Amino acid sequence: MRKLPYTLLAALSAAALAVPATAAALPADVTASQCIAGGGVIVISAVGDGSQGYTKRCMGGVHDGQTVL
């Protein structure tokens, strides 16, 4: 059985630890003004057939993928 080189193992470990740190730095939700100021646009989507409500998400820019309040 072949062993992984230490540099590859260290790089994989660093990558795994970096993902939660960047995700935690992002806000959970943003205002419409913050979305637009960050370079994004607000996308409104119907949930199901529309009778269950709508979702608003910021797409693009600094707050990409965040829920808009």
Side-chain angles (χ1 to χ4, degrees):
M1 184 169 160
R2 296 176 63 166
K3 293 184 179 181
L4 291 176
Y6 289 111
T7 54
L8 179 59
L9 185 59
L12 291 173
S13 297
L17 292 174
V19 172
T22 56
L26 295 173
D29 43 28
V30 296
T31 64
S33 299
Q34 289 172 327
C35 176
I36 294 168
V41 294
I42 301 168
V43 176
I44 301 171
S45 303
V47 176
D49 62 358
S51 64
Q52 299 164 347
Y54 297 91
T55 61
K56 295 182 281 186
R57 306 287 278 175
C58 184
M59 300 306 257
V62 177
H63 305 290
D64 187 35
Q66 301 298 315
T67 301
V68 176
L69 297 174

